[in-house]
PDB file of all heavy atoms in Angstrom:
ATOM      1  N   LEU A 130      16.835  -5.460  18.371  1.00 70.00           N
ATOM      2  CA  LEU A 130      16.877  -4.004  18.375  1.00 70.00           C
ATOM      3  C   LEU A 130      16.608  -3.393  19.712  1.00 70.00           C
ATOM      4  O   LEU A 130      16.597  -2.137  19.901  1.00 70.00           O
ATOM      5  CB  LEU A 130      15.915  -3.416  17.334  1.00 70.00           C
ATOM      6  CG  LEU A 130      16.068  -3.878  15.903  1.00 70.00           C
ATOM      7  CD1 LEU A 130      15.017  -3.233  15.033  1.00 70.00           C
ATOM      8  CD2 LEU A 130      17.424  -3.529  15.396  1.00 70.00           C
ATOM      9  N   MET A 131      16.347  -4.212  20.728  1.00 70.00           N
ATOM     10  CA  MET A 131      16.012  -3.693  22.068  1.00 70.00           C
ATOM     11  C   MET A 131      17.194  -3.832  23.008  1.00 70.00           C
ATOM     12  O   MET A 131      18.000  -4.755  22.870  1.00 70.00           O
ATOM     13  CB  MET A 131      14.794  -4.462  22.564  1.00 70.00           C
ATOM     14  CG  MET A 131      13.622  -4.414  21.716  1.00 70.00           C
ATOM     15  SD  MET A 131      12.132  -5.236  22.312  1.00 70.00           S
ATOM     16  CE  MET A 131      11.705  -4.133  23.667  1.00 70.00           C
ATOM     17  N   ASN A 132      17.242  -2.964  23.925  1.00 69.00           N
ATOM     18  CA  ASN A 132      18.269  -2.988  24.975  1.00 69.00           C
ATOM     19  C   ASN A 132      17.613  -2.776  26.347  1.00 69.00           C
ATOM     20  O   ASN A 132      17.749  -1.697  26.964  1.00 69.00           O
ATOM     21  CB  ASN A 132      19.369  -1.930  24.672  1.00 69.00           C
ATOM     22  CG  ASN A 132      20.555  -1.999  25.648  1.00 69.00           C
ATOM     23  OD1 ASN A 132      20.804  -3.035  26.234  1.00 69.00           O
ATOM     24  ND2 ASN A 132      21.216  -0.833  25.823  1.00 69.00           N
ATOM     25  N   PRO A 133      16.848  -3.748  26.870  1.00 69.00           N
ATOM     26  CA  PRO A 133      16.131  -3.607  28.117  1.00 69.00           C
ATOM     27  C   PRO A 133      17.079  -3.524  29.306  1.00 69.00           C
ATOM     28  O   PRO A 133      18.100  -4.174  29.372  1.00 69.00           O
ATOM     29  CB  PRO A 133      15.250  -4.775  28.147  1.00 69.00           C
ATOM     30  CG  PRO A 133      15.988  -5.832  27.376  1.00 69.00           C
ATOM     31  CD  PRO A 133      16.671  -5.044  26.275  1.00 69.00           C
ATOM     32  N   GLN A 134      16.662  -2.739  30.309  1.00 72.00           N
ATOM     33  CA  GLN A 134      17.360  -2.716  31.569  1.00 72.00           C
ATOM     34  C   GLN A 134      17.198  -3.983  32.423  1.00 72.00           C
ATOM     35  O   GLN A 134      18.064  -4.424  33.155  1.00 72.00           O
ATOM     36  CB  GLN A 134      16.923  -1.527  32.364  1.00 72.00           C
ATOM     37  CG  GLN A 134      17.273  -0.178  31.700  1.00 72.00           C
ATOM     38  CD  GLN A 134      16.832   1.004  32.587  1.00 72.00           C
ATOM     39  OE1 GLN A 134      16.354   0.838  33.649  1.00 72.00           O
ATOM     40  NE2 GLN A 134      17.028   2.226  32.090  1.00 72.00           N
ATOM     41  N   HIS A 135      15.998  -4.654  32.188  1.00 72.00           N
ATOM     42  CA  HIS A 135      15.733  -5.835  32.916  1.00 72.00           C
ATOM     43  C   HIS A 135      15.312  -6.941  31.923  1.00 72.00           C
ATOM     44  O   HIS A 135      14.289  -6.819  31.241  1.00 72.00           O
ATOM     45  CB  HIS A 135      14.603  -5.614  33.902  1.00 72.00           C
ATOM     46  CG  HIS A 135      14.935  -4.549  34.911  1.00 72.00           C
ATOM     47  ND1 HIS A 135      15.741  -4.778  35.980  1.00 72.00           N
ATOM     48  CD2 HIS A 135      14.512  -3.247  34.999  1.00 72.00           C
ATOM     49  CE1 HIS A 135      15.823  -3.593  36.716  1.00 72.00           C
ATOM     50  NE2 HIS A 135      15.143  -2.672  36.141  1.00 72.00           N
ATOM     51  N   PRO A 136      16.024  -8.030  31.837  1.00 68.00           N
ATOM     52  CA  PRO A 136      15.683  -9.108  30.905  1.00 68.00           C
ATOM     53  C   PRO A 136      14.364  -9.796  31.199  1.00 68.00           C
ATOM     54  O   PRO A 136      13.793 -10.452  30.304  1.00 68.00           O
ATOM     55  CB  PRO A 136      16.848 -10.066  31.048  1.00 68.00           C
ATOM     56  CG  PRO A 136      17.445  -9.788  32.374  1.00 68.00           C
ATOM     57  CD  PRO A 136      17.277  -8.299  32.582  1.00 68.00           C
ATOM     58  N   ASP A 137      13.838  -9.589  32.373  1.00 70.00           N
ATOM     59  CA  ASP A 137      12.575 -10.243  32.749  1.00 70.00           C
ATOM     60  C   ASP A 137      11.444  -9.245  32.643  1.00 70.00           C
ATOM     61  O   ASP A 137      10.395  -9.413  33.289  1.00 70.00           O
ATOM     62  CB  ASP A 137      12.636 -10.758  34.209  1.00 70.00           C
ATOM     63  CG  ASP A 137      13.645 -11.874  34.361  1.00 70.00           C
ATOM     64  OD1 ASP A 137      13.784 -12.622  33.382  1.00 70.00           O
ATOM     65  OD2 ASP A 137      14.253 -12.008  35.436  1.00 70.00           O
ATOM     66  N   ASP A 138      11.620  -8.213  31.838  1.00 68.00           N
ATOM     67  CA  ASP A 138      10.533  -7.195  31.638  1.00 68.00           C
ATOM     68  C   ASP A 138       9.324  -7.983  31.194  1.00 68.00           C
ATOM     69  O   ASP A 138       9.364  -8.810  30.323  1.00 68.00           O
ATOM     70  CB  ASP A 138      10.959  -6.215  30.500  1.00 68.00           C
ATOM     71  CG  ASP A 138      10.073  -5.064  30.402  1.00 68.00           C
ATOM     72  OD1 ASP A 138       8.896  -5.327  29.984  1.00 68.00           O
ATOM     73  OD2 ASP A 138      10.436  -3.933  30.698  1.00 68.00           O
ATOM     74  N   PRO A 139       8.108  -7.672  31.779  1.00 65.00           N
ATOM     75  CA  PRO A 139       6.901  -8.444  31.419  1.00 65.00           C
ATOM     76  C   PRO A 139       6.534  -8.391  29.950  1.00 65.00           C
ATOM     77  O   PRO A 139       5.982  -9.365  29.426  1.00 65.00           O
ATOM     78  CB  PRO A 139       5.834  -7.827  32.300  1.00 65.00           C
ATOM     79  CG  PRO A 139       6.389  -6.466  32.695  1.00 65.00           C
ATOM     80  CD  PRO A 139       7.851  -6.644  32.814  1.00 65.00           C
ATOM     81  N   ILE A 140       6.806  -7.295  29.327  1.00 64.00           N
ATOM     82  CA  ILE A 140       6.451  -7.216  27.873  1.00 64.00           C
ATOM     83  C   ILE A 140       7.373  -8.192  27.102  1.00 64.00           C
ATOM     84  O   ILE A 140       6.868  -8.871  26.203  1.00 64.00           O
ATOM     85  CB  ILE A 140       6.664  -5.793  27.375  1.00 64.00           C
ATOM     86  CG1 ILE A 140       5.551  -4.897  27.833  1.00 64.00           C
ATOM     87  CG2 ILE A 140       6.665  -5.788  25.840  1.00 64.00           C
ATOM     88  CD1 ILE A 140       5.536  -3.505  27.344  1.00 64.00           C
ATOM     89  N   LEU A 141       8.598  -8.274  27.416  1.00 66.00           N
ATOM     90  CA  LEU A 141       9.496  -9.210  26.668  1.00 66.00           C
ATOM     91  C   LEU A 141       9.105 -10.617  26.954  1.00 66.00           C
ATOM     92  O   LEU A 141       9.192 -11.472  26.065  1.00 66.00           O
ATOM     93  CB  LEU A 141      10.946  -8.923  27.039  1.00 66.00           C
ATOM     94  CG  LEU A 141      11.490  -7.530  26.744  1.00 66.00           C
ATOM     95  CD1 LEU A 141      12.972  -7.467  27.141  1.00 66.00           C
ATOM     96  CD2 LEU A 141      11.341  -7.203  25.289  1.00 66.00           C
ATOM     97  N   THR A 142       8.700 -10.912  28.183  1.00 63.00           N
ATOM     98  CA  THR A 142       8.331 -12.275  28.496  1.00 63.00           C
ATOM     99  C   THR A 142       7.016 -12.682  27.775  1.00 63.00           C
ATOM    100  O   THR A 142       6.923 -13.747  27.169  1.00 63.00           O
ATOM    101  CB  THR A 142       8.046 -12.391  30.046  1.00 63.00           C
ATOM    102  OG1 THR A 142       9.287 -12.036  30.662  1.00 63.00           O
ATOM    103  CG2 THR A 142       7.705 -13.824  30.389  1.00 63.00           C
ATOM    104  N   ALA A 143       6.021 -11.776  27.757  1.00 60.00           N
ATOM    105  CA  ALA A 143       4.738 -12.058  27.107  1.00 60.00           C
ATOM    106  C   ALA A 143       4.890 -12.105  25.587  1.00 60.00           C
ATOM    107  O   ALA A 143       4.044 -12.730  24.946  1.00 60.00           O
ATOM    108  CB  ALA A 143       3.706 -11.034  27.528  1.00 60.00           C
ATOM    109  N   ALA A 144       5.887 -11.413  25.081  1.00 58.00           N
ATOM    110  CA  ALA A 144       6.038 -11.303  23.599  1.00 58.00           C
ATOM    111  C   ALA A 144       7.028 -12.264  23.114  1.00 58.00           C
ATOM    112  O   ALA A 144       7.638 -12.034  21.995  1.00 58.00           O
ATOM    113  CB  ALA A 144       6.393  -9.875  23.218  1.00 58.00           C
ATOM    114  N   SER A 145       7.259 -13.347  23.775  1.00 60.00           N
ATOM    115  CA  SER A 145       8.208 -14.334  23.328  1.00 60.00           C
ATOM    116  C   SER A 145       7.884 -14.992  21.938  1.00 60.00           C
ATOM    117  O   SER A 145       8.728 -15.346  21.191  1.00 60.00           O
ATOM    118  CB  SER A 145       8.394 -15.433  24.319  1.00 60.00           C
ATOM    119  OG  SER A 145       7.188 -16.057  24.605  1.00 60.00           O
TER     120      SER A 145
END
Side-chain angles (χ1 to χ4, degrees):
L130 301 179
M131 304 182 70
N132 185 24
Q134 296 180 3
H135 301 282
D137 296 328
D138 189 294
I140 287 185
L141 299 182
T142 303
S145 57

